[in-house]
Amino acid sequence: MKVNEAELLISAVRQDQYPKNSLPEIALAGRSNVGKSSFINTLVTRKNLARTSNKPGKTQTLNFYDLEGRMMFVDVPGYGYAKVSKSERAAWGKMMETYFSSRENLRGVAVIIDSRHSPSALDIQMYKYLKEFELPVLVIATKADKVSKNKRPKHVKHIRETLELEKTDDIILFSAETGQGKEDAWKSIQAMV
Ligand SMILES: Nc1nc2c(ncn2[C@@H]2O[C@H](COP(=O)(O)OP(=O)(O)OP(=O)(O)O)[C@@H](O)[C@H]2O)c(=O)[nH]1
Ligand SMILES: [Mg+2]
């Protein structure tokens, strides 16, 4: 899919702020600083639509992006950032629970994982959590440009096994640097919406 127009509709914290349209939407999930916002930018071919940073914790709200009035991406704050207070973490948990349990527009979630490393306990927990809501999940193994070519298939296999991915859930090797996996990611996303 080629997206010519994309815009931020709203940065929401509360349910009553979610957009009231009926567009299908795909949410991003993943550890803080893993590359969720970069993933959105690569898919819509815009450098700075979703704000990125080399410091973790950049995205703090649910950011709803409208793609040509056809669908939405929802950028979500990351998890696992150490410098977060107990009360902030609790607020994050509540915001996620409300969103994932109530949002009717939601068609699936792209879970972004660092392809260099084994999925963390939090990554595994997130995958299981999404499956409790019976949501389709697409795993994006990102930063593939940082893994040598011959080791990439092994890393993908390892991530698939560690997460105990369901057969119907895809995993795609991806890089926001090189654009690797962009077409395959769009294919999976279009199948979900
Ligand atoms: N080499 C490489 N760097 C990447 C890739 N994707 C993201 N990055 C870098 O990783 C850092 C974090 O990227 P973001 O997209 O801001 O990460 P995020 O998951 O949105 O982070 P939070 O909003 O803090 O949760 C930035 O410095 C990006 O340039 C990739 O595929 N390859
Ligand atoms: Mg972000």
Side-chain angles (χ1 to χ4, degrees), residues 22-91:
S22 55
L23 296 177
E25 76 193 22
I26 298 292
L28 285 298
R31 181 174 68 64
S32 196
N33 213 37
V34 72
K36 298 176 293 300
S37 300
S38 302
F39 174 78
I40 292 181
N41 290 336
T42 302
L43 263 69
V44 303
T45 328
R46 287 267 296 273
K47 265 214 170 95
N48 285 310
L49 178 69
R51 299 289 301 278
T52 64
S53 166
N54 53 11
K55 289 197 207 87
K58 180 72 191 170
T59 309
Q60 292 287 351
T61 49
L62 295 169
N63 297 337
F64 290 81
Y65 294 95
D66 177 312
L67 312 186
E68 297 179 341
R70 292 155 74 184
M71 63 169 288
M72 289 185 285
F73 275 150
V74 185
D75 200 4
V76 166
Y79 47 78
Y81 179 39
K83 282 188 195 161
V84 167
S85 70
K86 231 180 174 175
S87 62
E88 281 174 310
R89 197 159 296 157

Side-chain angles (χ1 to χ4, degrees), residues 129-174:
Y129 176 77
L130 295 169
K131 292 303 348 179
E132 275 173 34
F133 295 112
E134 296 179 354
L135 285 162
V137 171
L138 163 66
V139 176
I140 299 294
T142 196
K143 304 193 183 181
D145 55 285
K146 297 202 176 220
V147 179
S148 67
K149 219 171 184 175
N150 61 332
K151 286 196 177 137
R152 289 175 196 166
K154 213 172 128 192
H155 284 220
V156 169
K157 183 166 176 273
H158 176 74
I159 293 170
R160 182 190 286 284
E161 286 170 359
T162 310
L163 291 176
E164 297 177 24
L165 269 202
E166 290 181 0
K167 279 204 191 80
T168 49
D169 291 339
D170 290 341
I171 176 166
I172 291 167
L173 204 53
F174 184 84

